[in-house]
Amino acid sequence: MSELKRTALFDQHVKLGAKNIGFCGWEMPVQYEGILKEHEACRNGVAIFDTSHMGEFFFEGDLLFSGINEATTVDVLKLPIGKCKYGFLLNENGGVIDDLIIYKADENRLMFVVNASRIDIDFKTIDSRLESGILVDSSNETSKLDVQGPKAKEILQEFIPFDLDELGFFSFKESEIMGSFALVSRTGYTGELGYELYVDNKIAPKLWDALVEKGAVPAGLGARDVLRLEMGYSLYGQELDEQTTPIEAGVGFFVKYDKDFVGKDALLKQKEDGAPRKSIPFTTNSKRAPRHGMDIEQNGQKIGVVTSGTFSPCVQSGIGIASVDAKLYNKDVPLELNTGRKNIEISATKLPFYNKDKK
Amino acid sequence: MSKRYSNEHEWAILEGGVASIGLSAYAVEQLGDITFVELPEIGAEASKDDSIAFIESVKAASDIYTPVGGEVVEVNEELENTPELLNEAAESTWVFKLKVSDASEFETLMDEAGYKAYIETL
C-alpha cells in the first residue's frame, strides 16, 4: 500500500490528539475528543473540520461552446455569478462518477469541488469532454476548512473583509483571509449554518489555530458522517457509485433536464421505465445502529442492503439509508434489518432524519 | 478480591462462584462514545470466549466475549438506557454476571499488571 497523504493541517491534528485513519488515500482525523461532543458542538455551537483532502479544479473558457455545460448535470449557463450548485458527473449509463459542487466565479470561470477518492477520474473525465478551455487541478495547493454551526458567523466574521450576512445559502465570494486569496462559501455538509473556506495551504495552519482559539471545536470525519447522515446527504462510495444513478440513489430531484449532459438519455429512460433500485431512509426505533452492508429483508427474503447507517444523537435512534430492489420492495410489508445476530424491525421514513425547525 | 483480564479486553471479578464481567477502560477508550449495549439473556449458557453480548459506539461495533464459561444470572439493565455509563466508569460498570462452571478458567486470565503489559504491546 502506498503511503498516506497528509493535509497541511496534519501537525494541528497531532497536537490536538486526534485519532487518525486512512481515508481515500489520506491520513485524516476521525475524531478528537469524541464524536458525540463534536457533533453537539456543530449542532449547537461551532465546529471546524479539515476537509483539505477534497479536490478543487478551476476551469476557464467559454461556458456555452467549450463542452463544460454538458460535462455534468449542473447548468452553468443558468447559474448566476457568485452562486454554486450541487450536481453529478455521470457516465453514459447515468451512473455517478462523482457528486460535486460547481462554483460560478465569472462568465468564463468555474470551480469544481470533488471527492478526494475521485480526483483523478473526475479530472480525466471532465477534461475529455472539453472542446476548448483550460481545466486545472489545484487540489494539492488548496486547503479546505469547514466552519459549521449556529455560531459559525460569529467567530468567522473578524477574519473576513466583507459582511458575511451578504452571503445567502449556496453563495460565495472570492476574497482574502490573512492577506492571502480565499474563496468563502456558505455551504456545508452538516445541515447547519456554515461556511467552507478554500485557502492556500500556506495560511491553513495559522487560520485553523486562530479559529480554534476563538472557540471552534475541532471535529473529525466521524462526526461529519453522523451530521451528514442525519440530514440524509449522500456519500460517494456508499449511496453513490458508477453503477447507481441519481434516481436510484434518491437524489434525482437535483437533476434538471432542460439542457444536455452526458447520461441524460439513460436517466430519461429510467424515469420512464422505472428504476430497478430504490433508496429507502429508515430508523431502527432503538439505539441499535444499522451498518453499511447489512441486509434488508421482507418476509424473510433479502431485498436490499444498507448503504449508510449510524446512531443519531439528534433523533436518539439508529438511522440508515437502504438501497432495495424496486420490484421486491412492498411498502405495506414490515421491513427488517438483518444485523447478523438477529433481525430487527425498522421503519421507512422521510428525509431529513433531523429537522432543525421541528426541534 | 482480584480482578482479571482477557485478551479481548473484558475484565472479570469472581465472588462466591459468580463472576461479574465488564469491559476494560482501554477497550472503551478504543470504541469511543458507547451508544448501545445488547445484553445476554438471563439463563443463557456460555462457554469461555463465546460472544454473548454486543456493544456499539458511534463509530464501531464489537462483540463482547465472556472470559469465563457459565450461566448468565444477572444483566446490567441500566446499560439499556444509559450505555454511556461505560464511558464514564468502564472498570466499575459490570455488564453481566455468570455462575461460573469452572473456576480454573478464571485463574488462566491475566492479572492487572499482566494486562497492562499486554496492552502496551498492542
Side-chain angles (χ1 to χ4, degrees):
Chain A
M1 205 177 110
S2 60
E3 207 170 302
L4 294 172
K5 290 193 272 189
R6 292 172 172 181
T7 74
L9 295 167
F10 185 78
D11 291 345
Q12 269 62 28
H13 305 323
V14 172
K15 259 185 271 170
L16 289 162
K19 281 185 188 155
N20 290 319
I21 51 154
F23 179 81
C24 303
W26 290 80
E27 188 170 0
M28 297 299 292
V30 64
Q31 68 168 50
Y32 302 83
E33 282 195 54
I35 293 175
L36 292 182
K37 203 170 162 189
E38 295 162 25
H39 168 276
E40 164 73 17
C42 184
R43 288 275 178 252
N44 294 310
V46 52
I48 184 167
F49 302 83
D50 176 14
T51 54
S52 304
H53 57 310
M54 293 183 73
E56 295 85 11
F57 306 154
F58 289 89
F59 172 80
E60 207 166 328
D62 190 305
L63 299 190
L64 179 58
F65 298 112
S66 60
I68 198 74
N69 203 36
E70 291 74 41
T72 74
T73 61
V74 176
D75 193 334
V76 295
L77 289 171
K78 280 201 183 145
L79 188 64
I81 293 170
K83 297 285 278 183
C84 52
K85 203 169 166 69
Y86 176 75
F88 307 98
L89 178 67
L90 301 178
N91 59 33
E92 291 287 348
N93 302 324
V96 181
I97 297 171
D98 203 0
D99 62 335
L100 40 72
I101 295 182
I102 302 182
Y103 290 73
K104 187 160 171 178
D106 211 335
E107 281 306 340
N108 59 353
R109 212 152 48 80
L110 303 172
M111 178 171 80
F112 291 68
V113 178
V114 305
N115 284 299
S117 61
R118 308 300 287 173
I119 291 173
D120 293 343
I121 188 170
D122 288 358
F123 188 86
K124 261 187 255 166
T125 306
I126 298 170
D127 205 44
S128 73
R129 293 177 183 177
L130 295 179
E131 304 280 336
S132 65
I134 298 168
L135 188 69
V136 177
D137 178 2
S138 298
S139 307
N140 287 337
E141 299 80 53
T142 309
S143 289
K144 178 169 176 279
L145 280 64
D146 298 3
V147 184
Q148 303 276 310
K151 298 203 172 102
K153 190 160 65 190
E154 204 175 303
I155 72 148
L156 186 59
Q157 182 63 70
E158 70 175 89
F159 301 93
I160 309 290
F162 63 90
D163 185 353
L164 283 171
D165 280 329
E166 288 170 26
L167 282 189
F169 192 46
F170 270 68
S171 298
F172 69 97
K173 258 197 172 144
E174 293 181 293
S175 182
E176 236 179 47
I177 296 178
M178 295 177 161
S180 170
F181 171 81
L183 191 147
V184 180
S185 168
R186 202 182 134 194
T187 44
Y189 197 42
T190 62
E192 296 300 328
L193 167 71
Y195 302 87
E196 295 182 298
L197 310 174
Y198 299 89
V199 301
D200 192 281
N201 286 347
K202 287 199 248 355
I203 69 142
K206 213 165 57 169
L207 178 59
W208 172 279
D209 288 345
L211 287 165
V212 171
E213 171 92 351
K214 289 281 163 200
V217 174
L221 296 182
R224 186 171 152 88
D225 190 54
V226 175
L227 290 157
R228 71 95 192 164
L229 191 54
E230 286 183 329
M231 299 312 295
Y233 299 154
S234 303
L235 175 61
Y236 196 86
Q238 301 204 170
E239 281 70 42
L240 302 171
D241 57 42
E242 288 196 49
Q243 281 71 50
T244 306
T245 69
I247 297 170
E248 292 168 307
V251 287
F253 58 88
F254 284 110
V255 181
K256 299 285 178 278
Y257 294 88
D258 41 19
K259 63 133 194 167
D260 279 336
F261 57 86
V262 177
K264 182 179 177 182
D265 292 344
L267 294 195
L268 285 174
K269 188 167 182 323
Q270 205 168 62
K271 268 167 79 96
E272 198 166 306
D273 302 348
R277 280 185 292 146
K278 189 177 163 59
S279 167
I280 311 274
F282 65 90
T283 61
T284 59
N285 310 312
S286 76
K287 287 193 168 185
R288 186 78 168 79
R291 299 288 172 187
H292 176 80
M294 284 180 178
D295 286 350
I296 299 291
E297 300 178 2
Q298 273 185 327
N299 291 327
Q301 184 189 15
K302 175 178 171 176
I303 63 158
V305 293
V306 175
T307 54
S308 286
T310 188
F311 168 75
S312 162
C314 287
V315 184
Q316 282 294 306
S317 166
I319 59 171
I321 296 177
S323 176
V324 302
D325 185 306
K327 283 206 180 71
L328 295 177
Y329 174 64
N330 180 342
K331 68 175 173 51
D332 301 318
V333 171
L335 268 177
E336 289 186 2
L337 174 74
N338 183 336
T339 66
R341 300 174 68 86
K342 60 179 180 188
N343 278 23
I344 59 170
E345 197 168 317
I346 56 175
S347 305
T349 184
K350 288 206 162 64
L351 295 176
F353 295 108
Y354 169 63
N355 194 331
K356 198 156 183 120
D357 302 332
K358 286 191 188 155
K359 194 169 68 174
Chain B
M1 184 179 72
S2 71
K3 195 174 190 181
R4 297 294 173 92
Y5 292 84
S6 72
N7 288 342
E8 297 288 349
H9 309 288
E10 286 81 20
W11 56 255
I13 293 173
L14 188 60
E15 279 172 296
V18 173
S20 303
I21 311 294
L23 292 169
S24 76
Y26 173 83
V28 170
E29 165 70 22
Q30 294 301 308
L31 283 163
D33 298 313
I34 308 290
T35 54
F36 176 83
V37 180
E38 188 177 290
L39 298 166
E41 304 275 333
I42 290 177
E45 297 272 350
S47 304
K48 176 178 164 60
D49 299 330
D50 279 356
S51 156
I52 61 166
F54 177 76
I55 187 165
E56 281 189 351
S57 69
V58 184
K59 64 174 175 184
S62 175
D63 287 302
I64 302 178
Y65 303 93
T66 181
V68 290
E71 181 192 339
V72 178
V73 290
E74 219 180 320
V75 296
N76 187 349
E77 284 172 2
E78 254 189 300
L79 292 174
E80 289 185 336
N81 290 318
T82 47
E84 61 272 21
L85 288 175
L86 288 168
N87 289 106
E88 287 156 19
E91 295 283 348
S92 56
T93 305
W94 59 275
V95 179
F96 55 88
K97 294 185 182 184
L98 287 168
K99 200 159 120 196
V100 173
S101 45
D102 177 2
S104 72
E105 285 175 356
F106 181 79
E107 299 305 324
T108 65
L109 299 171
M110 290 175 271
D111 61 14
E112 273 187 83
Y115 179 66
K116 214 175 149 196
Y118 167 67
I119 57 179
E120 269 166 23
T121 65
L122 301 178

